Amino acid sequence: PSDPGSRMGRLGLSLLVGPANAGKVALLLERFLAASGSEPFLIVPNRSDVDRVERDLLRREPALLGGSIGTFDDLFRLVAGDAPRVLSEAERALVLRRVVGDAKLNGLGRSARFTGFADELARTLAQLEAGLVEPGRLPGDLASLHASYRSELERLGLCDRELLRRRAVDRLASEFQSWNGEPVFAYGFEDLTGAEWSLLRAL
């Protein structure tokens, strides 16, 4: 998605489509370079892609004086502003085990005794939060566990990767000045999560 001529009040979404090896990435990078004076942001799929794309751009232009390249996580952190610290995977596992141990479960009580329950719960909550699903929309014990997990993070003054993404989307929706209209480019994504689509829509 890109629109290198965009400015505040005239934002749009453009898609480059076509078969593999049709030159879509080369055209996208040319548009990124053309918009360098507007401090564009280029989203790439993985951290390893950042260095590779930087080298590609430098082959096209000897000096880059504007713009940023990063992953969706980098863009979410930039937009979220002064957010709580994101807990590590190990910390997340400990928090969820505590939440499961303290919970009064009905239908999931027997399953919760197994060590893999908290790990599977972590994967389930990550998918739900990536889709911006609120605890109140979930059934029974899952809703209770999700709400307890959120409460525990708030008590600890932490957030997870998915909550940081939600904070960024909410901030864009509620604070007009949270983004100054810099063009955003993205490539290499066959699919996007609900949070990623929401971020692009909000931008």
Side-chain angles (χ1 to χ4, degrees), residues 11-27:
L11 300 178
L13 177 68
S14 300
L15 299 176
L16 296 177
V17 296
N21 302 315
K24 298 186 299 293
V25 172
L27 178 57

Side-chain angles (χ1 to χ4, degrees), residues 3-60:
D3 185 350
S6 292
R7 295 294 184 270
M8 192 64 86
R10 191 165 59 86
L11 300 178
L13 177 68
S14 300
L15 299 176
L16 296 177
V17 296
N21 302 315
K24 298 186 299 293
V25 172
L27 178 57
L28 189 71
L29 295 183
E30 289 173 9
R31 291 187 177 184
F32 177 83
L33 289 173
S36 60
S38 301
E39 294 297 330
F41 194 102
L42 174 60
I43 310 170
V44 295
N46 303 299
R47 177 62 51 195
S48 59
D49 294 313
V50 174
D51 291 339
R52 181 176 56 79
V53 171
E54 285 178 347
R55 289 194 297 270
D56 194 347
L57 287 169
L58 286 171
R59 281 193 292 269
R60 299 166 185 271

Side-chain angles (χ1 to χ4, degrees), residues 109-133:
R110 295 178 66 181
S111 299
R113 295 199 304 266
F114 293 94
T115 55
F117 182 85
D119 296 333
E120 188 57 39
L121 178 62
R123 286 188 285 271
T124 300
L125 294 184
Q127 291 175 353
L128 291 169
E129 291 183 343
L132 303 180
V133 177

Side-chain angles (χ1 to χ4, degrees), residues 85-100:
R85 180 175 70 83
V86 176
L87 77 173
S88 68
E89 288 301 314
E91 290 171 324
R92 181 184 180 121
L94 290 173
V95 168
L96 282 170
R97 288 192 178 101
R98 183 184 308 151
V99 166
V100 170

Side-chain angles (χ1 to χ4, degrees), residues 49-197:
D49 294 313
V50 174
D51 291 339
R52 181 176 56 79
V53 171
E54 285 178 347
R55 289 194 297 270
D56 194 347
L57 287 169
L58 286 171
R59 281 193 292 269
R60 299 166 185 271
E61 190 75 37
L64 301 178
L65 302 178
S68 302
I69 305 168
T71 63
F72 256 113
D73 281 330
D74 294 325
L75 182 57
F76 275 110
R77 277 193 294 269
L78 179 65
V79 173
D82 188 19
R85 180 175 70 83
V86 176
L87 77 173
S88 68
E89 288 301 314
E91 290 171 324
R92 181 184 180 121
L94 290 173
V95 168
L96 282 170
R97 288 192 178 101
R98 183 184 308 151
V99 166
V100 170
D102 292 343
K104 292 180 173 62
L105 301 173
N106 295 316
L108 297 176
R110 295 178 66 181
S111 299
R113 295 199 304 266
F114 293 94
T115 55
F117 182 85
D119 296 333
E120 188 57 39
L121 178 62
R123 286 188 285 271
T124 300
L125 294 184
Q127 291 175 353
L128 291 169
E129 291 183 343
L132 303 180
V133 177
E134 287 291 343
R137 294 173 55 190
L138 302 173
D141 288 341
L142 185 57
S144 176
L145 288 168
H146 195 179
S148 296
Y149 170 66
R150 289 268 192 93
S151 297
E152 183 64 8
L153 289 183
E154 186 175 354
R155 185 186 72 81
L156 295 170
L158 299 171
C159 70
D160 61 18
R161 175 176 179 257
E162 289 74 27
L163 285 174
L164 179 77
R165 290 180 161 211
R166 176 181 290 275
R167 177 188 176 99
V169 171
D170 291 345
R171 184 170 182 233
L172 276 177
S174 61
E175 300 179 26
F176 184 68
Q177 294 299 329
S178 59
W179 191 257
N180 295 319
E182 296 89 347
V184 176
F185 301 80
Y187 88 91
F189 298 93
E190 295 182 358
D191 196 12
L192 297 176
T193 67
E196 289 165 351
W197 270 119

